[in-house]
């Protein structure tokens, strides 16, 4: 297992290096630069380019960035004076993570229940109800759900705050809006996976041994059917925790999403690279955790790895 973890770590470092290289080059290929403005004189622009090292050859800029990155320094914003990217992430990430964790927990809990219930009641009213919820969740965009929730529960019924992130009541609407798509996706995948497992021989054997329906479902059906859901959780968790611009913008959540988009709009090289590297590290780490969890959920995978 230790050898496997070391190999995965090396692969993760190379993956991150490739990601940084590609983003660094692609950002430089965009037309214009961070200091393109009608109000900026050529002298001031040249001074700014010199200050941030953008007048140096590209390979010098790249090596300098890698050196700073190795020391954990993501650079300084080229649009917001004296704002370090590390500080911006440290300030915004807790809000995005809080919103993301609440959304993931809600989506996983309700999604699994709906998927299992739909599979166990296939062709019945409960199955159709679960699938209608799943279709709505997958089909309707986040911003539509967000605005609809604000209109109904905030403006018309006055039950919950329309926006901002101050108390538990402020979190209910954005958490539900963000979790609906993931919830629907998990319920659909869980239902399909459960239907494949229900007719397997080992399930019939468990029933013939006299196990209760609850034991058969939890020990033999859910455990084997949940692998596709676990696979899905890695990238979804990284995406949700590191910022969802639309939901954060609608509900005025001060998270990372707005900084990412502002960085692209302003051609803020440091901001784009810093956010991308942070997201990449988070995504790689999440996938690594999911891969390790496979060994605990399905012993067959662990046996195959050890055999290699």
């Amino acid at each position: 297992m230790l050898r496997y973890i070391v190999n995965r770590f090396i692969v993760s470092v190379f993956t991150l290096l490739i990601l940084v290289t590609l983003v660094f080059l692609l950002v430089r290929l965009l037309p214009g630069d961070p200091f393109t403005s009608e109000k900026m004189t050529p002298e001031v622009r040249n001074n700014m380019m010199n200050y941030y090292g953008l007048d140096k050859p590209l390979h010098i800029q790249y090596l300098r960035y890698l050196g700073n990155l190795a020391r954990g320094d993501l650079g300084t914003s080229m649009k917001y004076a004296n704002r370090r990217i590390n500080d911006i992430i440290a300030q915004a990430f807790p809000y995005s993570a809080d919103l993301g964790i609440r959304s993931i927990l809600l989506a996983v809990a309700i999604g699994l229940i709906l998927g299992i219930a739909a599979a166990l009641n296939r062709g019945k009213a409960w199955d159709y109800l679960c699938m209608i919820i799943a279709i709505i969740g997958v089909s309707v965009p986040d911003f539509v759900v967000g605005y609809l929730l604000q209109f109904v529960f905030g403006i018309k019924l006055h039950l919950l705050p329309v926006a901002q992130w101050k108390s538990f009541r402020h979190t209910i609407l954005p958490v539900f809006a963000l979790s609906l798509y993931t919830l629907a996706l998990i319920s659909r995948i869980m239902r399909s996976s459960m239907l494949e497992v229900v007719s397997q021989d080992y399930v019939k054997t468990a029933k013939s041994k006299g196990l209760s329906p609850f034991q058969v479902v939890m020990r033999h059906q859910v455990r084997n059917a949940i692998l596709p859901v676990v696979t899905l959780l890695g990238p979804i968790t990284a995406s949700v925790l590191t910022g969802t611009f639309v939901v954060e913008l609608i509900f005025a959540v001060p998270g990372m999403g707005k900084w990412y988009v502002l960085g692209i709009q302003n051609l803020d090289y440091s901001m784009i690279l810093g956010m991308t590297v942070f997201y990449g590290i988070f995504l790689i780490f999440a996938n690594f955790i999911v891969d390790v969890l496979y060994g605990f959920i399905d012993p067959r995978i662990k046996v195959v790895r050890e055999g290699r």
Side-chain angles (χ1 to χ4, degrees):
M1 191 66 179
L2 179 61
R3 183 179 179 184
Y4 168 76
I5 293 175
V6 172
N7 289 337
R8 285 285 301 165
F9 177 77
I10 295 173
V11 171
S12 299
V13 172
F14 273 106
T15 304
L16 186 61
L17 181 62
I18 293 172
L19 174 68
V20 172
T21 305
L22 287 177
V23 176
F24 184 88
L25 294 175
L26 289 174
V27 167
R28 261 59 177 186
L29 290 176
L30 292 173
D33 59 62
F35 310 112
T36 301
S37 172
E38 295 178 355
K39 299 179 181 179
M40 188 169 291
T41 63
E43 291 77 12
V44 175
R45 180 178 177 277
N46 291 334
N47 290 335
M48 296 296 287
M49 296 288 281
N50 178 265
Y51 178 79
Y52 287 101
L54 297 180
D55 57 345
K56 302 288 189 301
L58 194 60
H59 68 281
I60 299 296
Q61 297 180 39
Y62 175 69
L63 293 175
R64 179 180 295 178
Y65 184 79
L66 287 183
N68 293 334
L69 185 61
R71 295 192 293 273
D73 183 6
L74 296 175
T76 305
S77 171
M78 298 178 181
K79 282 294 182 181
Y80 302 95
N82 300 321
R83 294 295 305 271
R84 296 176 67 246
I85 306 302
N86 297 54
D87 296 335
I88 292 175
I89 292 176
Q91 181 185 358
F93 179 65
Y95 294 100
S96 295
D98 190 9
L99 172 61
I101 289 172
R102 293 170 192 258
S103 302
I104 288 289
L105 292 178
L106 180 67
V108 171
I110 298 181
L112 288 179
I113 292 173
L114 289 179
I116 294 170
L120 296 179
N121 297 278
R122 184 180 185 185
K124 299 179 181 178
W126 185 251
D127 185 19
Y128 293 121
L129 176 62
C130 295
M131 288 305 99
I132 288 174
I133 296 174
I135 292 172
I136 292 174
V138 172
S139 306
V140 181
D142 289 346
F143 69 90
V144 176
V145 176
Y147 285 129
L148 189 61
L149 291 174
Q150 284 180 324
F151 179 74
V152 175
F153 295 99
I155 298 175
K156 289 295 182 183
L157 301 179
H158 300 286
L159 294 177
L160 294 169
V162 175
Q164 294 191 340
W165 191 263
K166 294 181 178 179
S167 65
F168 175 75
R169 294 181 71 246
H170 288 83
T171 66
I172 295 176
L173 293 184
V175 166
F176 185 78
L178 183 59
S179 65
L180 184 59
Y181 174 80
T182 308
L183 181 156
L185 203 58
I186 290 176
S187 64
R188 290 184 64 182
I189 293 175
M190 192 64 192
R191 177 183 180 274
S192 302
S193 187
M194 280 285 291
L195 290 177
E196 293 178 2
V197 170
V198 166
S199 59
Q200 294 295 320
D201 291 338
Y202 57 83
V203 174
K204 297 176 183 175
T205 303
K207 291 179 179 177
S208 67
K209 289 181 177 179
L211 295 179
S212 66
F214 180 79
Q215 290 175 317
V216 173
V217 171
M218 297 307 296
R219 290 185 182 179
H220 298 281
Q221 295 181 2
V222 172
R223 183 174 181 178
N224 289 284
I226 204 170
L227 272 178
V229 177
V230 175
T231 305
L232 181 72
L233 283 179
I236 282 185
T237 301
S239 174
V240 170
L241 293 188
T242 51
T244 49
F245 171 68
V246 175
V247 174
E248 289 183 0
L249 181 65
I250 292 174
F251 293 97
V253 179
M256 289 178 57
K258 71 170 186 178
W259 293 106
Y260 212 150
V261 176
L262 286 174
I264 296 173
Q265 289 177 343
N266 296 326
L267 280 180
D268 191 339
Y269 296 163
S270 302
M271 186 77 76
I272 298 172
L273 278 167
M275 294 290 175
T276 305
V277 169
F278 184 79
Y279 177 81
I281 293 173
F282 214 90
L283 179 62
I284 292 169
F285 179 73
N287 283 329
F288 174 75
I289 294 297
V290 167
D291 215 11
V292 172
L293 285 177
Y294 279 159
F296 295 98
I297 296 173
D298 190 346
R300 293 171 299 177
I301 296 176
K302 189 176 180 180
V303 169
V304 171
R305 286 173 182 164
E306 290 175 350
R308 289 177 181 174

